[in-house]
Coordinates of all heavy atoms in Angstrom, one line a residue:
M2 N 5.6 -5.5 -26.6 CA 5.1 -4.6 -25.6 C 6.2 -4.4 -24.6 O 6.9 -5.4 -24.2 CB 3.9 -5.2 -24.9 CG 2.7 -5.3 -25.8 SD 1.2 -5.9 -24.9 CE 0.6 -4.3 -24.3
R3 N 6.4 -3.2 -24.2 CA 7.5 -2.8 -23.2 C 6.7 -2.3 -21.9 O 6.0 -1.4 -22.0 CB 8.4 -1.8 -23.7 CG 9.3 -2.2 -24.8 CD 10.3 -1.1 -25.2 NE 11.0 -1.5 -26.4 CZ 11.5 -0.7 -27.3 NH1 11.3 0.6 -27.1 NH2 12.1 -1.1 -28.3
Y4 N 7.1 -3.0 -20.8 CA 6.4 -2.6 -19.6 C 7.4 -1.8 -18.7 O 8.6 -2.1 -18.7 CB 6.1 -3.9 -18.8 CG 5.1 -4.8 -19.5 CD1 5.5 -6.0 -20.0 CD2 3.8 -4.4 -19.8 CE1 4.6 -6.9 -20.7 CE2 2.9 -5.2 -20.4 CZ 3.3 -6.4 -20.9 OH 2.4 -7.2 -21.6
W5 N 6.9 -0.8 -18.1 CA 7.7 0.0 -17.2 C 7.2 0.0 -15.8 O 6.0 -0.1 -15.5 CB 7.7 1.5 -17.8 CG 8.3 1.5 -19.1 CD1 7.7 1.5 -20.3 CD2 9.7 1.6 -19.5 NE1 8.5 1.5 -21.4 CE2 9.8 1.6 -20.9 CE3 10.9 1.6 -18.7 CZ2 11.0 1.6 -21.5 CZ3 12.1 1.7 -19.4 CH2 12.2 1.7 -20.7
A6 N 8.1 0.2 -14.8 CA 7.8 0.3 -13.4 C 6.8 -0.7 -12.9 O 7.1 -1.9 -13.0 CB 7.3 1.8 -13.1
A7 N 5.7 -0.3 -12.3 CA 4.8 -1.3 -11.7 C 4.2 -2.3 -12.8 O 3.9 -3.4 -12.4 CB 3.6 -0.5 -11.1
A8 N 4.1 -1.9 -14.0 CA 3.6 -2.8 -15.1 C 4.7 -3.9 -15.3 O 4.4 -5.1 -15.4 CB 3.3 -2.1 -16.3
K9 N 5.9 -3.5 -15.3 CA 7.0 -4.5 -15.4 C 7.0 -5.4 -14.2 O 7.2 -6.7 -14.4 CB 8.4 -3.7 -15.5 CG 9.6 -4.6 -15.6 CD 10.8 -3.7 -15.7 CE 12.1 -4.5 -15.7 NZ 13.3 -3.6 -15.7
A10 N 6.9 -4.9 -13.0 CA 6.8 -5.8 -11.9 C 5.7 -6.8 -11.9 O 5.8 -7.9 -11.6 CB 6.8 -4.9 -10.6
A11 N 4.5 -6.3 -12.3 CA 3.3 -7.1 -12.3 C 3.4 -8.2 -13.4 O 2.9 -9.3 -13.3 CB 2.1 -6.3 -12.5
A12 N 4.0 -7.8 -14.6 CA 4.1 -8.7 -15.7 C 5.3 -9.7 -15.4 O 5.3 -10.8 -16.0 CB 4.4 -8.0 -17.0
G13 N 6.2 -9.3 -14.6 CA 7.4 -10.2 -14.4 C 8.4 -10.2 -15.5 O 9.2 -11.1 -15.6
T14 N 8.2 -9.3 -16.4 CA 9.1 -9.2 -17.5 C 9.2 -7.7 -18.0 O 8.2 -7.0 -17.8 CB 8.7 -10.1 -18.7 OG1 9.7 -10.1 -19.7 CG2 7.3 -9.7 -19.3
A15 N 10.2 -7.3 -18.7 CA 10.3 -6.0 -19.2 C 9.6 -5.8 -20.6 O 9.2 -4.8 -20.9 CB 11.8 -5.6 -19.4
E16 N 9.6 -6.9 -21.3 CA 8.9 -6.8 -22.6 C 8.5 -8.2 -23.1 O 9.0 -9.2 -22.6 CB 9.7 -6.1 -23.6 CG 11.1 -6.7 -24.0 CD 11.8 -5.9 -25.0 OE1 12.2 -4.8 -24.6 OE2 11.9 -6.3 -26.2
E17 N 7.5 -8.2 -24.0 CA 7.1 -9.5 -24.6 C 6.5 -9.1 -26.0 O 6.0 -8.0 -26.2 CB 6.1 -10.2 -23.7 CG 4.9 -9.5 -23.3 CD 4.1 -10.1 -22.2 OE1 4.5 -11.2 -21.8 OE2 3.1 -9.6 -21.8
P18 N 6.5 -10.1 -26.9 CA 5.9 -9.8 -28.2 C 4.4 -9.8 -28.2 O 3.8 -10.3 -27.2 CB 6.4 -11.0 -29.0 CG 6.6 -12.1 -28.1 CD 7.0 -11.4 -26.8
Y19 N 3.8 -9.1 -29.2 CA 2.3 -9.2 -29.3 C 2.0 -9.6 -30.8 O 2.8 -9.4 -31.7 CB 1.7 -7.8 -29.0 CG 2.1 -6.7 -29.9 CD1 1.4 -6.5 -31.1 CD2 3.1 -5.8 -29.6 CE1 1.7 -5.5 -32.0 CE2 3.4 -4.8 -30.4 CZ 2.7 -4.6 -31.6 OH 3.1 -3.6 -32.4
A20 N 0.9 -10.2 -30.9 CA 0.3 -10.5 -32.3 C -1.1 -10.0 -32.2 O -2.0 -10.8 -31.9 CB 0.4 -12.0 -32.5
A21 N -1.3 -8.8 -32.6 CA -2.6 -8.1 -32.5 C -2.7 -7.0 -33.6 O -1.7 -6.4 -33.9 CB -2.9 -7.6 -31.1
A22 N -4.0 -6.8 -34.0 CA -4.2 -5.7 -35.0 C -4.5 -4.4 -34.3 O -4.3 -3.3 -34.9 CB -5.4 -6.1 -35.9
T23 N -5.0 -4.4 -33.0 CA -5.3 -3.2 -32.3 C -4.7 -3.2 -30.9 O -4.4 -4.3 -30.4 CB -6.8 -2.9 -32.2 OG1 -7.4 -4.0 -31.3 CG2 -7.5 -2.9 -33.5
L24 N -4.6 -2.1 -30.3 CA -4.2 -2.0 -28.9 C -5.1 -2.8 -28.0 O -4.6 -3.5 -27.1 CB -4.1 -0.6 -28.4 CG -3.6 -0.3 -27.0 CD1 -2.2 -1.0 -26.8 CD2 -3.6 1.1 -26.7
A25 N -6.4 -2.7 -28.2 CA -7.3 -3.5 -27.4 C -7.1 -5.0 -27.4 O -7.1 -5.7 -26.4 CB -8.8 -3.2 -27.8
E26 N -6.8 -5.5 -28.6 CA -6.5 -6.9 -28.8 C -5.2 -7.3 -28.1 O -5.1 -8.3 -27.4 CB -6.4 -7.3 -30.3 CG -7.7 -7.3 -31.0 CD -7.5 -7.5 -32.5 OE1 -6.4 -7.9 -32.9 OE2 -8.5 -7.2 -33.3
A27 N -4.2 -6.5 -28.2 CA -2.9 -6.7 -27.5 C -3.1 -6.7 -26.0 O -2.5 -7.6 -25.3 CB -1.9 -5.7 -28.0
L28 N -3.8 -5.8 -25.5 CA -4.0 -5.7 -24.0 C -4.9 -6.9 -23.5 O -4.6 -7.4 -22.5 CB -4.7 -4.4 -23.6 CG -3.8 -3.1 -23.9 CD1 -4.6 -1.9 -23.6 CD2 -2.5 -3.2 -23.0
D29 N -5.9 -7.3 -24.3 CA -6.7 -8.5 -23.9 C -5.8 -9.7 -23.9 O -5.9 -10.5 -22.9 CB -7.8 -8.7 -24.9 CG -9.0 -7.7 -24.7 OD1 -9.0 -7.0 -23.7 OD2 -9.8 -7.6 -25.7
A30 N -4.9 -9.9 -24.9 CA -4.0 -11.0 -24.9 C -3.0 -11.0 -23.7 O -2.7 -12.0 -23.1 CB -3.3 -11.1 -26.2
A31 N -2.5 -9.8 -23.4 CA -1.6 -9.6 -22.3 C -2.3 -10.0 -20.9 O -1.8 -10.7 -20.1 CB -1.0 -8.2 -22.2
R32 N -3.6 -9.5 -20.8 CA -4.3 -9.8 -19.6 C -4.5 -11.3 -19.4 O -4.4 -11.9 -18.4 CB -5.7 -9.1 -19.6 CG -5.6 -7.7 -19.2 CD -7.1 -7.1 -19.1 NE -7.0 -5.7 -19.2 CZ -7.2 -5.0 -20.4 NH1 -7.4 -5.6 -21.5 NH2 -7.1 -3.7 -20.4
A33 N -4.8 -12.0 -20.5 CA -5.0 -13.4 -20.5 C -3.7 -14.2 -20.2 O -3.7 -15.1 -19.4 CB -5.6 -13.9 -21.9
A34 N -2.6 -13.7 -20.8 CA -1.3 -14.3 -20.5 C -0.9 -14.2 -19.1 O -0.1 -15.0 -18.6 CB -0.3 -13.7 -21.5
H35 N -1.3 -13.1 -18.4 CA -0.9 -12.9 -17.0 C -2.1 -13.0 -16.1 O -2.1 -12.4 -15.0 CB -0.3 -11.5 -16.9 CG 0.9 -11.3 -17.7 ND1 2.1 -11.8 -17.3 CD2 1.1 -10.7 -18.9 CE1 3.0 -11.5 -18.3 NE2 2.4 -10.9 -19.2
A36 N -3.1 -13.8 -16.4 CA -4.3 -14.0 -15.6 C -4.0 -14.6 -14.2 O -4.7 -14.3 -13.3 CB -5.3 -14.9 -16.4
A37 N -2.9 -15.3 -14.1 CA -2.6 -15.8 -12.8 C -2.2 -14.7 -11.8 O -2.1 -15.0 -10.6 CB -1.4 -16.8 -12.9
N38 N -1.9 -13.5 -12.3 CA -1.5 -12.4 -11.4 C -2.5 -11.3 -11.6 O -2.4 -10.5 -12.5 CB -0.1 -11.9 -11.7 CG 0.3 -10.8 -10.8 OD1 -0.4 -10.4 -10.0 ND2 1.5 -10.2 -11.1
P39 N -3.6 -11.2 -10.8 CA -4.6 -10.2 -10.9 C -4.1 -8.8 -10.8 O -4.7 -7.8 -11.3 CB -5.6 -10.5 -9.8 CG -5.1 -11.6 -9.0 CD -3.8 -12.1 -9.7
E40 N -2.9 -8.6 -10.2 CA -2.4 -7.2 -10.1 C -2.0 -6.7 -11.4 O -2.1 -5.5 -11.6 CB -1.1 -7.3 -9.2 CG -0.5 -5.9 -9.0 CD -1.4 -4.9 -8.3 OE1 -2.4 -5.2 -7.7 OE2 -1.0 -3.7 -8.4
F41 N -1.7 -7.5 -12.4 CA -1.3 -7.1 -13.7 C -2.5 -6.3 -14.3 O -2.4 -5.2 -14.9 CB -0.9 -8.2 -14.6 CG -0.5 -7.8 -16.0 CD1 0.7 -7.3 -16.3 CD2 -1.4 -8.0 -17.0 CE1 1.0 -6.9 -17.6 CE2 -1.1 -7.7 -18.3 CZ 0.1 -7.1 -18.6
A42 N -3.7 -6.9 -14.3 CA -4.9 -6.3 -14.9 C -5.2 -5.0 -14.1 O -5.6 -4.0 -14.8 CB -6.1 -7.2 -14.8
R43 N -5.0 -4.9 -12.8 CA -5.3 -3.7 -12.1 C -4.3 -2.6 -12.5 O -4.7 -1.4 -12.6 CB -5.2 -3.9 -10.6 CG -6.4 -4.7 -10.0 CD -6.4 -4.7 -8.5 NE -5.4 -5.5 -7.9 CZ -5.5 -6.8 -7.6 NH1 -6.7 -7.4 -7.9 NH2 -4.5 -7.5 -7.1
V44 N -3.0 -2.9 -12.7 CA -2.0 -2.0 -13.1 C -2.4 -1.4 -14.5 O -2.3 -0.2 -14.7 CB -0.6 -2.6 -13.1 CG1 0.4 -1.7 -13.8 CG2 -0.2 -2.8 -11.7
L45 N -2.8 -2.3 -15.4 CA -3.1 -1.8 -16.7 C -4.2 -0.7 -16.7 O -4.2 0.1 -17.6 CB -3.6 -3.0 -17.6 CG -2.5 -3.9 -18.1 CD1 -3.1 -4.9 -19.1 CD2 -1.3 -3.1 -18.8
L46 N -5.2 -0.8 -15.8 CA -6.2 0.1 -15.7 C -5.7 1.6 -15.5 O -6.4 2.5 -15.8 CB -7.2 -0.2 -14.6 CG -8.1 -1.5 -14.8 CD1 -8.9 -1.8 -13.6 CD2 -9.0 -1.3 -16.0
R47 N -4.6 1.7 -14.8 CA -4.0 3.0 -14.5 C -3.0 3.5 -15.5 O -2.4 4.6 -15.4 CB -3.4 2.9 -13.1 CG -4.4 2.6 -12.0 CD -3.8 2.7 -10.6 NE -2.6 1.9 -10.4 CZ -2.4 0.7 -10.0 NH1 -3.5 0.0 -9.7 NH2 -1.3 0.1 -9.8
C48 N -2.6 2.7 -16.5 CA -1.5 3.0 -17.4 C -1.9 3.9 -18.5 O -3.1 3.9 -18.9 CB -1.0 1.7 -18.0 SG 0.0 0.7 -16.8
S49 N -0.9 4.6 -19.1 CA -1.1 5.2 -20.4 C -0.2 4.4 -21.3 O 0.6 3.6 -20.9 CB -0.7 6.7 -20.3 OG 0.1 7.0 -19.3
F50 N -0.4 4.7 -22.6 CA 0.2 3.9 -23.6 C 0.8 4.8 -24.7 O 0.2 5.8 -25.1 CB -0.8 2.9 -24.2 CG -1.4 2.0 -23.2 CD1 -2.7 2.4 -22.7 CD2 -0.8 0.9 -22.7 CE1 -3.3 1.6 -21.7 CE2 -1.4 0.1 -21.8 CZ -2.7 0.4 -21.2
L51 N 1.9 4.3 -25.2 CA 2.5 4.9 -26.4 C 2.5 3.8 -27.5 O 3.0 2.7 -27.2 CB 3.9 5.4 -26.2 CG 4.2 6.5 -25.2 CD1 5.6 6.8 -25.0 CD2 3.4 7.8 -25.6
V52 N 2.1 4.1 -28.7 CA 2.2 3.2 -29.8 C 3.2 3.8 -30.8 O 2.9 4.8 -31.4 CB 0.8 2.9 -30.4 CG1 1.0 2.0 -31.6 CG2 -0.1 2.2 -29.4
D53 N 4.3 3.1 -31.0 CA 5.3 3.6 -31.9 C 5.7 5.0 -31.6 O 5.8 5.9 -32.5 CB 4.9 3.4 -33.4 CG 4.8 1.9 -33.7 OD1 5.5 1.1 -33.1 OD2 3.9 1.6 -34.6
G54 N 5.8 5.3 -30.3 CA 6.2 6.7 -29.9 C 5.1 7.7 -29.8 O 5.3 8.8 -29.3
E55 N 3.9 7.4 -30.2 CA 2.8 8.3 -30.2 C 1.8 8.0 -29.0 O 1.4 6.9 -28.9 CB 2.0 8.3 -31.5 CG 2.8 8.7 -32.7 CD 3.2 10.1 -32.7 OE1 2.4 11.0 -32.3 OE2 4.3 10.4 -33.1
P56 N 1.5 9.1 -28.2 CA 0.5 8.8 -27.1 C -0.8 8.4 -27.6 O -1.4 9.0 -28.6 CB 0.5 10.2 -26.4 CG 1.5 11.0 -27.0 CD 1.9 10.4 -28.3
V57 N -1.4 7.4 -26.9 CA -2.8 7.0 -27.2 C -3.8 7.9 -26.7 O -4.8 8.2 -27.3 CB -3.0 5.5 -26.7 CG1 -4.4 5.1 -26.8 CG2 -2.1 4.6 -27.5
G58 N -3.5 8.5 -25.5 CA -4.5 9.4 -24.9 C -5.8 8.7 -24.5 O -5.8 7.6 -24.1
T59 N -6.9 9.4 -24.8 CA -8.2 8.9 -24.4 C -8.9 8.1 -25.6 O -10.0 7.8 -25.5 CB -9.1 10.1 -24.0 OG1 -9.2 11.0 -25.1 CG2 -8.6 10.7 -22.7
R60 N -8.1 7.9 -26.7 CA -8.7 7.2 -27.8 C -9.2 5.8 -27.3 O -8.5 5.1 -26.5 CB -7.8 7.0 -28.9 CG -7.5 8.3 -29.7 CD -6.6 8.1 -30.9 NE -5.2 7.9 -30.4 CZ -4.3 7.4 -31.1 NH1 -4.5 7.0 -32.4 NH2 -3.0 7.3 -30.6
D61 N -10.2 5.3 -27.9 CA -10.7 3.9 -27.7 C -9.6 3.0 -28.2 O -9.2 3.1 -29.3 CB -12.0 3.7 -28.5 CG -12.6 2.3 -28.4 OD1 -11.8 1.3 -28.1 OD2 -13.8 2.2 -28.6
H62 N -9.2 2.1 -27.3 CA -8.1 1.2 -27.7 C -8.4 0.3 -28.8 O -7.5 -0.2 -29.5 CB -7.7 0.3 -26.4 CG -7.1 1.2 -25.3 ND1 -7.0 0.7 -24.0 CD2 -6.7 2.5 -25.3 CE1 -6.5 1.7 -23.3 NE2 -6.3 2.7 -24.0
G63 N -9.7 0.0 -29.1 CA -10.1 -0.8 -30.2 C -9.9 0.0 -31.6 O -9.9 -0.7 -32.6
T64 N -9.7 1.3 -31.5 CA -9.5 2.0 -32.8 C -8.0 2.4 -33.0 O -7.7 3.1 -34.0 CB -10.3 3.4 -32.7 OG1 -9.7 4.2 -31.7 CG2 -11.7 3.1 -32.5
V65 N -7.1 1.9 -32.1 CA -5.7 2.2 -32.2 C -5.0 1.0 -32.9 O -4.8 0.0 -32.3 CB -5.0 2.4 -30.8 CG1 -3.6 2.7 -31.0 CG2 -5.8 3.6 -30.1
P66 N -4.6 1.2 -34.2 CA -4.0 0.1 -34.9 C -2.6 -0.1 -34.5 O -1.9 0.8 -34.1 CB -4.1 0.6 -36.4 CG -4.0 2.1 -36.3 CD -4.8 2.4 -35.0
L67 N -2.1 -1.4 -34.6 CA -0.8 -1.8 -34.3 C -0.1 -2.3 -35.5 O -0.7 -3.1 -36.3 CB -0.7 -2.8 -33.2 CG -1.3 -2.5 -31.8 CD1 -1.2 -3.6 -30.9 CD2 -0.7 -1.2 -31.3
A68 N 1.1 -1.8 -35.8 CA 1.9 -2.3 -36.9 C 2.7 -3.5 -36.5 O 3.1 -3.6 -35.4 CB 2.8 -1.2 -37.4
E69 N 2.8 -4.4 -37.5 CA 3.7 -5.6 -37.2 C 5.1 -5.1 -36.9 O 5.6 -4.2 -37.6 CB 3.7 -6.5 -38.5 CG 4.4 -7.8 -38.2 CD 4.3 -8.7 -39.4 OE1 3.3 -8.7 -40.1 OE2 5.2 -9.5 -39.6
G70 N 5.6 -5.6 -35.9 CA 7.0 -5.2 -35.5 C 7.0 -3.8 -34.8 O 8.1 -3.3 -34.5
G71 N 5.9 -3.3 -34.5 CA 5.8 -2.0 -33.8 C 6.1 -2.1 -32.3 O 6.4 -3.2 -31.8
T72 N 6.0 -1.0 -31.6 CA 6.2 -1.0 -30.1 C 5.1 -0.4 -29.4 O 4.6 0.7 -29.7 CB 7.5 -0.2 -29.8 OG1 8.6 -0.8 -30.5 CG2 7.9 -0.2 -28.3
V73 N 4.7 -1.1 -28.3 CA 3.7 -0.5 -27.4 C 4.4 -0.3 -26.1 O 4.9 -1.3 -25.5 CB 2.5 -1.5 -27.2 CG1 1.5 -1.0 -26.1 CG2 1.8 -1.7 -28.5
E74 N 4.4 0.9 -25.6 CA 5.0 1.2 -24.3 C 3.8 1.3 -23.3 O 2.9 2.0 -23.5 CB 5.7 2.5 -24.3 CG 6.8 2.7 -25.4 CD 8.1 2.1 -25.0 OE1 8.3 1.7 -23.9 OE2 8.9 2.0 -25.9
V75 N 4.0 0.5 -22.2 CA 3.0 0.5 -21.1 C 3.5 1.3 -19.9 O 4.5 0.8 -19.3 CB 2.6 -1.0 -20.7 CG1 1.6 -1.0 -19.7 CG2 2.2 -1.8 -22.0
L76 N 2.9 2.4 -19.7 CA 3.5 3.4 -18.7 C 2.5 3.6 -17.5 O 1.5 4.3 -17.7 CB 3.8 4.7 -19.4 CG 4.6 4.7 -20.6 CD1 4.5 5.9 -21.4 CD2 6.0 4.4 -20.3
P77 N 2.8 3.1 -16.3 CA 2.0 3.3 -15.2 C 2.2 4.8 -14.7 O 3.3 5.4 -15.1 CB 2.5 2.4 -14.1 CG 3.5 1.5 -14.8 CD 3.9 2.1 -16.1
P78 N 1.3 5.3 -13.9 CA 1.6 6.7 -13.4 C 2.9 6.7 -12.5 O 3.2 5.7 -11.9 CB 0.4 6.9 -12.5 CG -0.6 5.8 -12.8 CD 0.1 4.7 -13.4
F79 N 3.5 7.8 -12.5 CA 4.8 7.9 -11.7 C 4.9 9.3 -11.2 O 4.3 10.2 -11.7 CB 6.0 7.5 -12.6 CG 6.2 8.3 -13.8 CD1 6.9 9.5 -13.8 CD2 5.6 8.0 -15.0 CE1 7.1 10.3 -14.9 CE2 5.7 8.7 -16.1 CZ 6.5 9.9 -16.1
A80 N 5.6 9.4 -10.1 CA 5.9 10.7 -9.5 C 7.3 11.1 -9.8 O 8.1 10.3 -10.1 CB 5.7 10.6 -8.0
G81 N 7.5 12.4 -9.8 CA 8.9 12.9 -10.0 C 9.0 13.5 -11.3 O 8.7 14.7 -11.5
G82 N 9.3 12.8 -12.3 CA 9.2 13.3 -13.6 C 10.2 13.9 -14.4 O 10.6 14.0 -15.4

């Protein structure tokens, strides 16, 4: 998982590995790993996600499969653009 901007700040790292079959599982594991920082969970609520370069959009995160060795980009809202 690659964290950007506020997600990176809240996670305290730019990236970390995941071991999950779906985006929902990966996000649940990330929330648990960063449970000591409640801001991390709040930031995730506002984020959009790319899985292997493809936008997740409004799809249910439980239906978004993750490939072994794939990439999840965690993108908080940003201004400018």
